[in-house]
Amino acid sequence: MQNRVLCVAFRIEFRKLSVKHIKIMKKYFVGTLILLIAISFPVLYDIAKIKWYMASPVSFDRDKWNEAFRSEKLEDRYLRLQMASYIIETDQLSGLDAEGVIGILGSPQSHEAIPGFAYWLSPFGLDSAWLQVEYTDNRVSKYSVVTD
């Protein structure tokens, strides 16, 4: 009999704790959801921005390419990305050797996480967008836009 009374009392107490626990969990869930949305929005915005600029290529001009690298102007920030999109679309680097690529794009920037040649294109949230040029048998085998 005593066990049964304890079991009923425990069940009632457990139900009270569960309701409280569920209310607390709802508050944390909503807070976590809001936090995730707030954190992911800038990243999703940057991804959309890069896709937008990649969809509107600008013909390659070596002087503007080099000038945009050194520029602090907001409108120049994505010019290199647009030019890289044009280079990829028109397949300008395929089969070139390293000297040919340097002749077109200039000296690559060093980046330990990107194999081959890496050319900085634009900021990408906390990261950056890069044009990665890979070689096989001393010839360009692949090039694409990557982020670090």
Side-chain angles (χ1 to χ4, degrees):
M1 180 76 173
Q2 187 179 6
N3 287 342
R4 187 167 189 192
V5 171
L6 268 175
C7 186
V8 170
F10 178 74
R11 223 182 296 156
I12 291 169
E13 197 62 34
F14 182 72
R15 285 185 187 151
K16 287 180 184 176
L17 290 174
S18 294
V19 170
K20 287 180 183 178
H21 186 67
I22 289 171
K23 287 180 181 178
I24 291 170
M25 284 178 51
K26 283 181 182 178
K27 288 179 184 177
Y28 280 116
F29 176 76
V30 170
T32 303
L33 187 62
I34 290 170
L35 183 64
L36 284 173
I37 291 170
I39 289 171
S40 64
F41 180 76
V43 173
L44 295 174
Y45 176 74
D46 280 337
I47 290 170
K49 194 166 29 174
I50 283 189
K51 295 291 184 188
W52 171 263
Y53 283 108
M54 290 289 292
S56 54
V58 172
S59 17
F60 182 79
D61 179 330
R62 184 182 163 104
D63 294 332
K64 288 181 181 177
W65 173 266
N66 290 328
E67 186 179 306
F69 180 67
R70 294 183 295 270
S71 177
E72 295 291 325
K73 295 179 187 173
L74 188 59
E75 60 268 12
D76 289 342
R77 290 184 106 174
Y78 297 97
L79 182 60
R80 283 172 67 104
L81 181 61
Q82 291 173 298
M83 288 184 182
S85 178
Y86 179 81
I87 289 169
I88 291 167
E89 273 187 16
T90 57
D91 202 28
Q92 290 186 1
L93 302 180
S94 287
L96 293 177
D97 61 0
E99 289 179 21
V101 172
I102 291 172
I104 294 173
L105 300 177
S107 297
Q109 291 77 48
S110 62
H111 195 291
E112 64 280 349
I114 301 175
F117 283 3
Y119 293 91
W120 183 85
L121 299 175
S122 66
F124 178 71
L126 298 176
D127 299 326
S128 292
W130 296 79
L131 176 63
Q132 177 186 19
V133 182
E134 295 182 73
Y135 296 89
T136 303
D137 298 328
N138 297 324
R139 297 283 176 192
V140 173
S141 58
K142 178 184 170 189
Y143 49 102
S144 59
V145 173
V146 298
T147 58
D148 60 357

